[in-house]
Amino acid sequence: MSLFKKIFSSDKKETLDKGLEKSKSSFFSKLGKAVAGKSKVDDQVLDDLEEVLVTSDVGVKTTIKIIERIENRVSKDKYLGTDELNHILREEIAALLSETNTGEATDFVLPKDKKPYVLMVVGVNGVGKTTTIGKLAYQFKKKGFKVVLGAADTFRAAAIDQLQVWADRVDVPIVKQEMGSDPASVAYDTLQSAVSQDADIIIIDTAGRLHNKINLMNELTKVKRVMQKVIPDAPHDVLLVLDGSTGQNAFEQAKQFTAATEVTSLAVTKLDGTAKGGVVIGISDQFKVPVKYIGVGEGIEDLQVFNKYEFVDSFFK
């Protein structure tokens, strides 16, 4: 099918295949049980398939869309065999995701007309936010971009220390203050420093508290306002980091965060350690916010740009 063409290098594809292994084997084990003893796709198989998709964290709304697509195929071809189901699922999910104009990226790039590009990273504690920032810094530096980090999560001392570890590891400058400092002040200093260094990209870490949405909203609004004194259209991207291993909870977190602040892109992490990788399909379809990056392993290279065709191809391989 024309939707599937080689986009990633073999190394990158292998990492993606490996990272989705748990999700894939869990899905196919459920699918195998659903079609056991059946030779053609009938109403019972479709009912069972619906359950498989929902329990694989694809999400109810997206599952209904997929089932409707397969029902249309079945009505056209009365003798559709269960042996073809994997191939059809792969095609229909890719076609469904191709209707959104996101997930087309093939590499880490920056827009040429925004320099420095300001990326503000949000997300609750424990989702892999700092690790994602470190890995993004590594990827952009590897591409030849000059990166500056800003430790504006001043709520936890550990957050500042963790970001410092990543800055040292990737060998990029970091701007920080003491724990308890004003996050907006750190963001302001970071942007000033980055402008003076002629940096290409600034990545700002922010506090991961969601138990009080009003405080979070006020804090992030203040950070943005102060940054705009240095770079009028900052931030250019607000990236929400979600833990993929929490399945539908990641969905819920995305809803809550997008209600608290303007989020323009998503990163879904920890997909290698979970069987809940289907959540990426649901989030990619349901959210008006694009999935930009996925974490498929512990290694520094294991943060990838999200390409929906490569993702679906690996999931149904």
Side-chain angles (χ1 to χ4, degrees):
M1 190 187 176
S2 60
L3 284 174
F4 294 100
K5 51 186 183 288
K6 190 173 162 59
I7 298 167
F8 285 180
S9 66
S10 55
D11 285 358
K12 212 161 147 187
K13 184 64 168 171
E14 199 178 311
T15 302
L16 183 59
D17 289 347
K18 198 172 154 200
L20 295 178
E21 191 55 52
K22 284 189 181 173
S23 296
K24 193 171 90 171
S25 57
S26 165
F27 180 83
F28 282 111
S29 147
K30 290 175 187 169
L31 188 63
K33 286 173 189 157
V35 300
K38 303 273 178 61
S39 60
K40 71 171 194 168
V41 178
D42 57 16
D43 288 347
Q44 184 59 55
V45 168
L46 287 170
D47 282 350
D48 291 344
L49 174 61
E50 188 169 333
E51 192 179 329
V52 169
L53 288 164
V54 170
T55 56
S56 298
D57 289 278
V58 171
V60 175
K61 286 184 179 173
T62 304
T63 292
I64 290 167
K65 286 187 190 177
I66 294 165
I67 295 296
E68 281 173 355
R69 284 172 169 270
I70 293 171
E71 278 174 341
N72 290 337
R73 292 276 286 256
V74 173
S75 66
K76 282 179 197 154
D77 181 355
K78 301 281 185 241
Y79 301 100
L80 211 56
T82 51
D83 55 338
E84 297 167 78
L85 199 50
N86 170 26
H87 178 67
I88 291 160
L89 267 169
R90 179 176 178 259
E91 284 188 355
E92 292 303 335
I93 291 173
L96 176 69
L97 296 185
S98 72
E99 290 169 7
T100 64
N101 60 352
T102 61
E104 306 275 356
T106 57
D107 214 340
F108 292 85
V109 292
L110 291 174
K112 291 185 169 64
D113 60 336
K114 308 277 183 200
K115 186 179 173 178
Y117 188 76
V118 183
L119 171 59
M120 187 163 102
V121 184
V122 300
V124 298
N125 298 329
V127 294
K129 187 160 54 86
T130 312
T131 303
T132 299
I133 292 169
K135 289 179 179 180
L136 278 171
Y138 167 78
Q139 291 289 357
F140 283 117
K141 188 181 178 192
K142 199 169 81 162
K143 291 282 168 204
F145 295 114
K146 190 166 187 185
V147 184
V148 174
L149 302 182
D153 182 355
T154 57
F155 189 64
R156 294 183 309 132
I160 301 169
D161 295 343
Q162 282 167 356
L163 202 63
Q164 181 67 64
V165 168
W166 274 105
D168 295 342
R169 185 176 175 188
V170 180
D171 192 23
V172 295
I174 180 172
V175 176
K176 60 181 184 176
Q177 293 178 15
E178 294 300 310
M179 180 188 161
S181 304
D182 178 14
S185 164
V186 179
Y188 182 84
D189 287 355
T190 306
L191 266 62
Q192 279 207 315
S193 171
V195 168
S196 70
Q197 293 177 60
D198 195 29
D200 296 295
I201 178 168
I202 302 162
I203 309 176
I204 305 275
D205 188 15
T206 62
R209 319 193 285 291
L210 192 59
H211 58 263
N212 187 330
K213 266 196 266 183
I214 301 298
N215 282 0
L216 177 78
M217 192 156 38
N218 290 345
E219 186 176 288
L220 294 178
T221 303
K222 184 182 172 189
V223 169
K224 286 180 189 177
R225 196 173 60 244
V226 169
M227 286 199 287
Q228 285 163 1
K229 291 179 179 176
V230 186
I231 297 169
D233 58 348
H236 303 112
D237 190 3
V238 179
L239 176 73
L240 170 61
V241 181
L242 299 168
D243 178 348
S245 70
T246 61
Q248 289 304 295
N249 284 352
F251 229 107
E252 200 46 48
Q253 241 172 56
K255 275 189 203 160
Q256 301 240 344
F257 247 103
T258 48
T261 188
E262 187 191 1
V263 172
T264 50
S265 63
L266 302 170
V268 185
T269 64
K270 306 185 187 182
L271 290 171
D272 54 307
T274 181
K276 297 175 184 283
V279 74
V280 177
I281 295 168
I283 285 177
S284 187
D285 169 51
Q286 289 295 310
F287 264 87
K288 300 293 177 269
V289 182
V291 177
K292 243 189 193 177
Y293 309 109
I294 53 172
V296 288
E298 299 284 323
I300 199 163
E301 293 274 4
D302 296 341
L303 182 76
Q304 295 194 346
V305 293
F306 172 63
N307 182 282
K308 58 197 171 194
Y309 305 118
E310 290 287 17
F311 185 90
V312 173
D313 187 52
S314 286
F315 200 92
F316 289 97
K317 215 168 186 181

Coordinates of all heavy atoms in Angstrom, one line a residue, residues 152-208:
A152 N 13.4 25.9 34.9 CA 12.4 26.7 35.5 C 11.4 25.9 36.4 O 10.4 26.4 36.9 CB 11.6 27.5 34.5
D153 N 11.7 24.6 36.6 CA 11.0 23.8 37.6 C 11.7 24.0 38.9 O 12.6 23.2 39.3 CB 10.9 22.3 37.2 CG 10.1 21.5 38.2 OD1 9.7 22.1 39.3 OD2 9.9 20.3 38.0
T154 N 11.5 25.1 39.6 CA 12.2 25.5 40.8 C 11.5 24.9 42.0 O 11.9 25.2 43.1 CB 12.3 27.0 40.9 OG1 11.0 27.6 40.9 CG2 13.1 27.6 39.7
F155 N 10.4 24.2 41.8 CA 9.6 23.6 42.9 C 10.3 22.5 43.6 O 10.2 22.3 44.8 CB 8.2 23.2 42.3 CG 7.2 22.8 43.4 CD1 6.7 23.7 44.3 CD2 6.8 21.5 43.4 CE1 5.8 23.4 45.2 CE2 5.8 21.1 44.4 CZ 5.3 22.1 45.3
R156 N 11.1 21.7 42.8 CA 11.8 20.5 43.3 C 13.3 20.7 43.1 O 13.7 20.9 41.9 CB 11.4 19.2 42.6 CG 9.9 18.8 42.8 CD 9.7 17.5 42.1 NE 10.1 17.5 40.7 CZ 10.8 16.5 40.2 NH1 11.2 15.5 40.9 NH2 11.1 16.6 38.9
A157 N 14.1 20.5 44.1 CA 15.5 20.6 44.0 C 16.0 19.5 43.0 O 16.9 19.7 42.2 CB 16.2 20.4 45.3
A158 N 15.4 18.4 43.1 CA 15.8 17.2 42.2 C 15.6 17.5 40.8 O 16.4 17.1 39.9 CB 14.9 16.0 42.6
A159 N 14.6 18.3 40.4 CA 14.4 18.7 39.0 C 15.6 19.5 38.5 O 16.0 19.3 37.3 CB 13.1 19.5 38.9
I160 N 16.1 20.4 39.3 CA 17.2 21.3 38.8 C 18.4 20.4 38.7 O 19.2 20.5 37.7 CB 17.4 22.4 39.8 CG1 16.2 23.3 39.9 CG2 18.6 23.3 39.4 CD1 16.2 24.3 41.1
D161 N 18.7 19.5 39.7 CA 19.8 18.6 39.7 C 19.8 17.7 38.5 O 20.8 17.5 37.8 CB 19.9 17.8 41.0 CG 20.2 18.7 42.2 OD1 20.6 19.9 42.0 OD2 19.9 18.3 43.3
Q162 N 18.6 17.1 38.2 CA 18.5 16.2 37.1 C 18.8 16.9 35.8 O 19.4 16.3 34.9 CB 17.0 15.6 37.1 CG 16.8 14.5 38.1 CD 15.3 14.2 38.2 OE1 14.4 14.9 37.6 NE2 15.0 13.2 39.0
L163 N 18.3 18.1 35.6 CA 18.5 18.8 34.4 C 20.0 19.1 34.2 O 20.5 19.1 33.1 CB 17.6 20.1 34.3 CG 17.4 20.6 32.9 CD1 16.6 19.6 32.0 CD2 16.6 21.9 32.9
Q164 N 20.6 19.5 35.3 CA 22.1 19.7 35.3 C 22.8 18.5 34.8 O 23.8 18.6 34.0 CB 22.6 20.1 36.7 CG 24.1 20.5 36.8 CD 24.4 21.7 36.0 OE1 24.0 22.8 36.3 NE2 25.3 21.6 34.9
V165 N 22.4 17.3 35.3 CA 23.1 16.0 34.9 C 23.0 15.9 33.4 O 23.9 15.5 32.7 CB 22.4 14.8 35.6 CG1 22.9 13.5 35.0 CG2 22.8 14.9 37.1
W166 N 21.8 16.1 32.8 CA 21.6 16.0 31.4 C 22.4 17.1 30.6 O 22.9 16.8 29.6 CB 20.1 16.1 31.0 CG 19.4 14.8 31.1 CD1 18.5 14.4 32.1 CD2 19.5 13.7 30.2 NE1 18.1 13.1 31.9 CE2 18.7 12.7 30.7 CE3 20.2 13.5 29.0 CZ2 18.5 11.5 30.0 CZ3 20.1 12.3 28.4 CH2 19.2 11.3 28.9
A167 N 22.4 18.3 31.2 CA 23.2 19.4 30.5 C 24.7 19.0 30.4 O 25.3 19.2 29.4 CB 23.0 20.7 31.3
D168 N 25.2 18.4 31.5 CA 26.6 17.9 31.5 C 26.8 16.8 30.5 O 27.8 16.7 29.8 CB 27.0 17.5 32.9 CG 27.0 18.6 34.0 OD1 27.0 19.8 33.5 OD2 26.9 18.3 35.2
R169 N 25.8 15.8 30.5 CA 26.0 14.7 29.7 C 25.9 15.0 28.2 O 26.7 14.5 27.4 CB 24.8 13.7 30.0 CG 24.8 12.4 29.3 CD 23.7 11.5 29.7 NE 23.7 10.2 28.9 CZ 22.8 9.3 29.0 NH1 21.7 9.5 29.8 NH2 22.8 8.3 28.2
V170 N 25.1 16.0 27.8 CA 24.9 16.3 26.4 C 25.9 17.5 26.1 O 26.2 17.7 24.9 CB 23.5 16.8 26.1 CG1 23.3 17.2 24.7 CG2 22.5 15.6 26.5
D171 N 26.5 18.1 27.1 CA 27.4 19.2 27.0 C 26.7 20.4 26.3 O 27.2 20.9 25.3 CB 28.6 18.8 26.2 CG 29.8 19.8 26.2 OD1 29.8 20.6 27.2 OD2 30.6 19.8 25.3
V172 N 25.7 20.9 27.0 CA 25.0 22.1 26.5 C 24.8 23.0 27.8 O 24.8 22.5 28.9 CB 23.6 21.8 25.9 CG1 23.7 21.0 24.7 CG2 22.6 21.1 26.9
P173 N 24.8 24.3 27.6 CA 24.7 25.3 28.7 C 23.3 25.2 29.3 O 22.3 24.9 28.7 CB 24.9 26.6 28.1 CG 24.7 26.5 26.6 CD 25.0 25.0 26.3
I174 N 23.3 25.4 30.6 CA 22.0 25.5 31.4 C 22.0 26.7 32.2 O 23.0 27.2 32.8 CB 21.9 24.2 32.3 CG1 20.6 24.2 33.1 CG2 23.1 24.1 33.3 CD1 20.3 22.9 33.9
V175 N 20.8 27.3 32.3 CA 20.6 28.5 33.2 C 19.7 28.0 34.3 O 18.6 27.4 34.1 CB 19.9 29.7 32.4 CG1 19.6 30.8 33.3 CG2 20.8 30.1 31.3
K176 N 20.1 28.3 35.6 CA 19.4 27.9 36.7 C 19.5 28.8 37.9 O 20.5 29.7 37.9 CB 19.8 26.4 37.2 CG 21.3 26.4 37.6 CD 21.7 25.0 37.9 CE 23.2 25.0 38.4 NZ 23.6 23.7 38.9
Q177 N 18.6 28.7 38.8 CA 18.7 29.5 40.1 C 18.5 28.5 41.2 O 18.4 27.3 41.0 CB 17.7 30.6 40.1 CG 18.0 31.7 39.1 CD 16.9 32.8 39.1 OE1 16.1 32.9 40.0 NE2 16.9 33.6 38.0
E178 N 18.4 29.1 42.4 CA 18.2 28.2 43.6 C 16.7 27.6 43.6 O 15.8 28.2 43.0 CB 18.3 29.0 44.9 CG 19.7 29.5 45.2 CD 20.7 28.4 45.3 OE1 20.5 27.5 46.0 OE2 21.8 28.5 44.6
M179 N 16.5 26.5 44.3 CA 15.2 26.0 44.5 C 14.3 27.0 45.1 O 14.8 27.7 46.0 CB 15.3 24.7 45.3 CG 14.0 24.1 45.6 SD 14.1 22.7 46.8 CE 12.4 22.6 47.2
G180 N 13.1 27.1 44.7 CA 12.2 28.1 45.3 C 12.2 29.5 44.6 O 11.4 30.4 44.9
S181 N 13.2 29.6 43.6 CA 13.2 30.9 42.9 C 12.0 31.1 42.0 O 11.3 30.1 41.8 CB 14.5 30.9 42.0 OG 15.6 30.7 42.7
D182 N 11.8 32.3 41.5 CA 10.6 32.5 40.6 C 10.9 31.9 39.3 O 11.9 32.2 38.6 CB 10.5 34.1 40.5 CG 9.4 34.4 39.6 OD1 8.5 33.6 39.2 OD2 9.3 35.6 39.2
P183 N 10.0 30.9 38.8 CA 10.2 30.3 37.5 C 10.3 31.2 36.4 O 11.1 31.1 35.4 CB 9.0 29.4 37.4 CG 8.5 29.2 38.8 CD 8.8 30.4 39.5
A184 N 9.5 32.3 36.4 CA 9.5 33.3 35.3 C 10.9 34.0 35.2 O 11.3 34.3 34.1 CB 8.4 34.3 35.6
S185 N 11.5 34.2 36.4 CA 12.8 34.9 36.4 C 13.9 34.0 35.8 O 14.7 34.5 35.0 CB 13.2 35.2 37.9 OG 14.5 35.5 38.0
V186 N 13.8 32.7 36.0 CA 14.7 31.7 35.4 C 14.5 31.7 33.9 O 15.4 31.7 33.1 CB 14.5 30.3 35.9 CG1 15.5 29.3 35.3 CG2 14.7 30.2 37.5
A187 N 13.2 31.7 33.5 CA 12.9 31.7 32.0 C 13.4 32.9 31.3 O 14.0 32.9 30.3 CB 11.4 31.6 31.8
Y188 N 13.3 34.1 32.0 CA 13.7 35.4 31.5 C 15.3 35.3 31.3 O 15.8 35.7 30.2 CB 13.3 36.5 32.4 CG 13.7 37.9 32.0 CD1 12.9 38.6 31.1 CD2 14.9 38.5 32.4 CE1 13.3 39.9 30.7 CE2 15.3 39.7 32.0 CZ 14.5 40.4 31.1 OH 14.8 41.7 30.7
D189 N 16.0 34.9 32.3 CA 17.4 34.8 32.3 C 17.9 33.9 31.2 O 18.9 34.1 30.5 CB 18.0 34.3 33.6 CG 17.9 35.4 34.7 OD1 17.5 36.5 34.4 OD2 18.3 35.0 35.9
T190 N 17.2 32.7 31.0 CA 17.5 31.7 30.0 C 17.4 32.3 28.6 O 18.3 32.2 27.8 CB 16.6 30.5 30.1 OG1 16.6 30.0 31.4 CG2 17.1 29.4 29.2
L191 N 16.3 33.0 28.3 CA 16.2 33.6 27.0 C 17.2 34.7 26.7 O 17.8 34.7 25.6 CB 14.7 34.2 26.9 CG 13.7 33.2 26.2 CD1 13.5 32.0 27.1 CD2 12.4 33.9 26.0
Q192 N 17.5 35.5 27.7 CA 18.5 36.6 27.5 C 19.9 35.9 27.2 O 20.6 36.4 26.3 CB 18.6 37.4 28.8 CG 17.5 38.5 28.9 CD 17.9 39.7 29.7 OE1 18.5 39.5 30.8 NE2 17.7 40.9 29.2
S193 N 20.2 34.9 28.0 CA 21.5 34.2 27.9 C 21.6 33.6 26.5 O 22.6 33.7 25.8 CB 21.6 33.2 28.9 OG 22.7 32.4 28.7
A194 N 20.5 32.9 26.1 CA 20.4 32.2 24.8 C 20.6 33.2 23.6 O 21.3 32.9 22.6 CB 19.2 31.4 24.7
V195 N 19.9 34.3 23.7 CA 20.0 35.4 22.7 C 21.4 35.9 22.5 O 22.0 36.0 21.4 CB 19.0 36.5 22.9 CG1 19.3 37.7 22.0 CG2 17.6 36.0 22.7
S196 N 22.1 36.1 23.7 CA 23.4 36.6 23.7 C 24.4 35.6 23.1 O 25.5 35.9 22.6 CB 23.9 37.1 25.1 OG 24.1 35.9 25.9
Q197 N 24.1 34.3 23.2 CA 24.9 33.2 22.7 C 24.6 32.8 21.3 O 25.2 31.9 20.7 CB 24.8 31.9 23.6 CG 25.3 32.1 25.0 CD 25.0 30.8 25.8 OE1 25.5 29.7 25.5 NE2 24.3 30.9 26.9
D198 N 23.6 33.5 20.7 CA 23.1 33.2 19.4 C 22.6 31.7 19.2 O 23.0 31.0 18.3 CB 24.2 33.5 18.3 CG 23.6 33.5 16.9 OD1 22.5 33.9 16.7 OD2 24.4 33.2 15.9
A199 N 21.9 31.3 20.3 CA 21.4 29.9 20.3 C 20.3 29.6 19.3 O 19.6 30.6 18.8 CB 20.9 29.5 21.7
D200 N 20.2 28.4 18.8 CA 19.1 28.0 17.9 C 17.8 27.6 18.6 O 16.7 27.8 18.1 CB 19.6 26.9 17.0 CG 20.8 27.2 16.1 OD1 20.6 28.1 15.3 OD2 21.9 26.7 16.3
I201 N 18.0 26.9 19.7 CA 16.8 26.4 20.4 C 17.0 26.5 22.0 O 18.1 26.3 22.5 CB 16.4 25.0 20.0 CG1 15.2 24.5 20.8 CG2 17.6 24.0 20.2 CD1 14.6 23.2 20.3
I202 N 15.9 26.9 22.6 CA 15.9 27.0 24.1 C 14.8 26.1 24.6 O 13.7 26.1 24.1 CB 15.5 28.5 24.5 CG1 16.4 29.5 23.9 CG2 15.4 28.6 26.0 CD1 15.8 30.9 23.9
I203 N 15.2 25.2 25.5 CA 14.2 24.2 26.1 C 14.0 24.6 27.5 O 15.0 24.5 28.3 CB 14.7 22.8 25.9 CG1 15.0 22.5 24.4 CG2 13.6 21.8 26.3 CD1 15.6 21.1 24.1
I204 N 12.8 25.0 27.9 CA 12.5 25.4 29.3 C 11.7 24.3 30.0 O 10.7 23.9 29.6 CB 11.7 26.7 29.3 CG1 12.4 27.8 28.5 CG2 11.3 27.1 30.7 CD1 13.4 28.6 29.2
D205 N 12.3 23.8 31.1 CA 11.5 22.9 32.0 C 10.6 23.7 32.9 O 11.0 24.8 33.4 CB 12.6 22.1 32.8 CG 11.9 20.9 33.6 OD1 10.8 20.6 33.3 OD2 12.6 20.4 34.5
T206 N 9.4 23.1 33.2 CA 8.5 23.8 34.1 C 8.0 22.9 35.2 O 8.1 21.7 35.0 CB 7.3 24.4 33.4 OG1 6.6 23.4 32.8 CG2 7.7 25.5 32.3
A207 N 7.4 23.4 36.2 CA 7.0 22.6 37.4 C 5.8 21.6 36.9 O 4.9 22.0 36.2 CB 6.5 23.4 38.5
G208 N 5.8 20.4 37.5 CA 4.8 19.4 37.1 C 3.7 19.2 38.1 O 3.5 18.1 38.6

